[in-house]
Amino acid sequence: MAKLVFGMNQSLDGYVDHMAFAPSPTLFRHFIEEAQGQAGSVYGRQMYEIMRYWDDDRPEWDAEEHAFAAAWRRQPKWVVSRSLKSVGLNATLVEDDLEGAIRELKAERAGEIEVAGPDLARSLTELGLIDEYRIYLHPVVLGHGKPYFAGPRPPLRLMTSDRIGEDVIRLTYVPA
């Protein structure tokens, strides 16, 4: 059975914003290794459209960016959306019955499946389907934006904490 993991970069004041701060080279390497090992990813429409950036190679990319793009393209993706009519390569559109689709996905697969985006994570949290939360805490204060927990804050139990690079702490929680 697969484990559903919601992990994102977060500011000290609890917000996620991929445009406000970026991972260091060490953290980016960590994300490449995670993407290479994942059994797939589940995206909401907005996050999927952002991540489609990795669909096409760009001449300005370095070796690390090419490695991340290759890992992202290889893994299966499930895109939860009622507005999209089609999705790209190696992606499946989930238009309705989110709970049934994700329960089936977890039962059919093994390994870790990433949940991408706080709005989708809110829905999956409400359904009790997320198995692990990973907060990559950055020393940045945004003061506004989209919170990591976009909805109910489930009771959690800290499993691990570790430092990645010079200034990021990864906090790993499971539902209590």
Side-chain angles (χ1 to χ4, degrees), residues 53-106:
Y53 169 82
W54 299 104
D55 274 346
D56 300 309
D57 285 330
R58 299 177 191 270
E60 68 273 13
W61 284 356
D62 61 20
E64 300 291 299
E65 290 165 311
H66 283 288
F68 182 83
W72 188 81
R73 289 178 201 144
R74 263 194 308 274
Q75 68 175 231
K77 293 167 263 312
W78 296 269
V79 182
V80 178
S81 175
R82 289 188 180 104
S83 60
L84 290 176
K85 298 303 172 209
S86 65
V87 290
L89 296 174
N90 212 12
T92 302
L93 186 59
V94 177
E95 295 178 272
D96 48 54
D97 189 19
L98 174 63
E99 181 176 10
I102 299 304
R103 286 191 186 285
E104 183 177 319
L105 182 62
K106 286 178 71 169

Side-chain angles (χ1 to χ4, degrees), residues 20-169:
F21 53 95
S24 67
T26 302
L27 184 57
F28 192 65
R29 168 50 50 199
H30 168 81
F31 289 145
I32 293 168
E33 292 168 5
E34 283 212 336
Q36 290 169 336
Q38 290 167 336
S41 293
V42 181
Y43 291 95
R45 181 192 55 81
Q46 289 178 339
M47 189 59 68
Y48 178 67
E49 288 176 344
I50 290 167
M51 292 301 290
R52 298 245 9 225
Y53 169 82
W54 299 104
D55 274 346
D56 300 309
D57 285 330
R58 299 177 191 270
E60 68 273 13
W61 284 356
D62 61 20
E64 300 291 299
E65 290 165 311
H66 283 288
F68 182 83
W72 188 81
R73 289 178 201 144
R74 263 194 308 274
Q75 68 175 231
K77 293 167 263 312
W78 296 269
V79 182
V80 178
S81 175
R82 289 188 180 104
S83 60
L84 290 176
K85 298 303 172 209
S86 65
V87 290
L89 296 174
N90 212 12
T92 302
L93 186 59
V94 177
E95 295 178 272
D96 48 54
D97 189 19
L98 174 63
E99 181 176 10
I102 299 304
R103 286 191 186 285
E104 183 177 319
L105 182 62
K106 286 178 71 169
E108 290 175 350
R109 302 275 170 167
E112 289 187 0
I113 298 175
E114 170 195 34
V115 173
D119 292 329
L120 176 60
R122 176 191 65 225
S123 297
L124 296 173
T125 295
E126 289 171 354
L127 293 168
L129 294 173
I130 296 186
D131 301 298
E132 189 171 291
Y133 298 83
R134 293 182 189 153
I135 297 172
Y136 292 87
L137 196 59
H138 290 253
V140 175
V141 175
L142 298 179
H144 60 81
K146 186 169 290 258
Y148 178 92
F149 287 104
R153 285 148 182 87
L156 300 173
R157 182 169 42 97
L158 180 65
M159 296 302 292
T160 62
S161 63
D162 54 312
R163 187 175 177 163
I164 301 175
E166 291 184 26
D167 58 1
V168 173
I169 302 293

